Amino acid sequence: MNTYDEFQRAQMFFDAKDYISASRLLAPVAEAEPGNGAVAELLARAYFHSAQLGRAEDAFRRLIGLDPCNGWAHEALARTLERRNRPAEAARYRKLAAAMGVAAAEEIEVSVTAANLA
């Protein structure tokens, strides 16, 4: 199976709300495709939803590194940091997201598919 097929498989697990399986499939794909923003985003979301918050933080930071102007990624990182009880650090990313036009929300859209982060 190639990386695209693995990504598609992981997407199916994610859509079925099996976030741990999705993250297990995506981790090697992200390693093989370090510049792929779609993989980085889905992996970060899978980590977040499965409460692997340390990994989610790293993955969202990697996503921001790939695209520093991605306001959504800044908001998602802020949300992750808040869940890790680091509100002062989260505030910085929340401000950056707001400056990029992304409004803070209790439930944020985590992509075009709009998953619930609560």
Side-chain angles (χ1 to χ4, degrees):
M1 222 177 252
N2 63 33
T3 55
Y4 179 75
D5 292 334
E6 285 296 300
F7 176 79
Q8 291 297 98
R9 247 180 93 210
Q11 180 71 59
M12 289 189 310
F13 278 101
F14 186 91
D15 291 344
K17 298 188 185 329
D18 185 350
Y19 305 117
I20 291 174
S21 294
S23 68
R24 285 184 186 141
L25 288 170
L26 286 165
V29 175
E31 190 174 312
E33 301 280 337
N36 188 320
V39 172
E41 179 184 329
L42 190 59
L43 179 58
R45 292 170 56 205
Y47 284 148
F48 184 91
H49 283 290
S50 61
Q52 299 179 67
L53 298 178
R55 290 178 176 170
E57 179 183 344
D58 292 342
F60 282 125
R61 288 184 190 280
R62 194 171 321 114
L63 184 58
I64 289 170
L66 291 173
D67 183 6
C69 296
N70 183 338
W72 173 87
H74 288 275
E75 177 64 22
L77 178 56
R79 183 72 187 244
T80 302
L81 292 168
E82 288 169 348
R83 284 188 67 186
R84 296 193 78 194
N85 200 26
R86 292 164 44 197
E89 193 176 348
R92 173 179 177 228
Y93 292 97
R94 176 88 14 97
K95 287 178 185 175
L96 285 167
M100 294 177 200
V102 177
E106 300 242 348
E107 296 178 10
I108 61 172
E109 289 187 9
V110 287
S111 80
V112 178
T113 58
N116 180 347
L117 287 180

